Amino acid sequence: MKDTFKHRGMRNHLAQILIDKGIADKKVLDAVREIPRHLFMDSSFEGHAYQNKAFPIAANQTISHPYTVAFQTELLQLEEGHKVLEIGTGSGYQTAILLNLKVKVYSIERQLELFKKTNIFFKKMGYRPKKLIFGDGYKGLPEQAPFDRIIVTAGAPEVPKALLSQLKVGGRLVIPIGFEEQIMTLFVRTANMEFSKTEYGSFRFVPLLENKN
Ligand code: SAH
């Protein structure tokens, strides 16, 4: 598959849909306009890649809705050079959006098949995260902590304590919390032992699974 003018046109249209739904961060919208989402999914879904839909990737997982990706990325309030931890690499689409915003990304995936597939795909595309890690994101990545930002792209029953403890003071953690449906939740580490918590709308994610490696 290739990236063509037609695909670019469809991405511009998608960006407009996201604007209409309330996404305002110009850098996030530019990233959506630039990253060829159709290349992150099976070619049979290509025609639908630029609708605001989730699609199956490998290992029974899904690539998140573009709106969800944009919403989470906007909430992170990224600055160039930030050190970012992502839990749930999946197809790598969210990872690529983060990289487009010029941050350093460490991304963890617990499905071996997806981990391998996305590794190969990133090499082919020339995308350069700091590291893709095969493992359990519930535990975070203590050896690289602390992080400026942490993003979780699977639904967690509650916020993993390890992730809160790996945030810098002033750092932001964006995580969908809940079982059937999840509430998008932002934690800000306001002081060493203090966190603020803000809840946003409801979303649907595949579950964040613990200790299943
Ligand atoms: N951002 C991805 C979303 C994929 S769905 C995309 O847009 O493609 C969520 C991903 O989280 C799945 O790939 C799933 O395997 C992964 N996941 C679930 N529990 C995990 C855990 N404990 N650690 C790391 N990854 C996990």
Side-chain angles (χ1 to χ4, degrees):
M1 276 198 288
K2 289 204 172 106
D3 191 25
T4 64
F5 276 120
K6 186 181 113 203
H7 293 112
R8 276 168 211 273
M10 290 195 283
R11 287 205 289 282
N12 275 329
H13 179 69
L14 173 62
Q16 190 55 50
I17 294 174
L18 300 181
I19 292 169
D20 294 344
K21 284 176 78 68
I23 303 296
D25 188 322
K26 196 180 163 305
K27 286 185 184 164
V28 173
L29 291 164
D30 281 346
V32 170
R33 287 187 188 102
E34 281 171 41
I35 303 297
R37 187 171 185 257
H38 63 289
L39 301 182
F40 291 73
M41 50 180 75
D42 197 277
S43 55
S44 52
F45 297 113
E46 189 193 350
H48 304 280
Y50 298 113
Q51 297 171 15
N52 184 33
K53 285 185 185 168
F55 286 101
I57 44 177
N60 261 333
Q61 304 300 321
T62 54
I63 179 169
S64 301
H65 283 72
Y67 174 69
T68 306
V69 172
F71 191 86
Q72 288 196 278
T73 311
E74 187 169 70
L75 270 185
L76 284 173
Q77 292 186 3
L78 296 168
E79 287 165 26
E80 198 172 324
H82 267 164
K83 191 172 183 181
V84 181
L85 176 64
E86 177 190 35
I87 314 297
T89 316
S91 68
Y93 177 67
Q94 170 77 70
T95 320
I97 293 280
L98 296 171
L99 290 170
N100 190 270
L101 289 156
K102 301 191 174 73
V103 297
K104 299 178 194 127
V105 185
Y106 297 80
S107 185
I108 309 179
E109 172 57 54
R110 66 172 285 283
Q111 294 275 0
L112 188 59
E113 183 188 352
L114 275 170
F115 166 76
K116 286 185 180 161
K117 198 173 167 189
T118 301
N119 240 303
I120 294 168
F121 175 67
F122 271 28
K123 293 218 166 81
K124 196 175 105 193
M125 297 291 289
Y127 294 147
R128 291 207 178 78
K130 280 280 164 194
K131 207 169 181 196
L132 296 182
I133 300 116
F134 171 58
D136 178 11
Y138 237 89
K139 303 182 184 76
L141 197 62
E143 63 270 30
Q144 287 293 341
F147 294 94
D148 296 291
R149 302 291 188 258
I150 301 177
I151 173 172
V152 180
T153 70
E158 59 184 348
V159 59
K161 298 269 180 314
L163 298 186
L164 288 173
S165 74
Q166 290 172 28
L167 263 188
K168 281 185 192 170
V169 172
R172 298 162 79 86
L173 162 64
V174 175
I175 178 169
I177 298 184
F179 293 90
E180 288 285 291
E181 263 194 2
Q182 295 84 25
I183 303 293
M184 193 61 74
T185 310
L186 166 69
F187 291 89
V188 181
R189 189 168 201 166
T190 49
N192 197 26
M193 300 298 281
E194 266 176 38
F195 294 86
S196 71
K197 178 181 169 186
T198 314
E199 294 184 333
Y200 295 85
S202 66
F203 291 80
R204 259 174 204 277
F205 284 83
V206 297
L208 182 73
L209 298 169
E210 197 174 4
N211 293 330
K212 293 274 170 65
N213 278 324

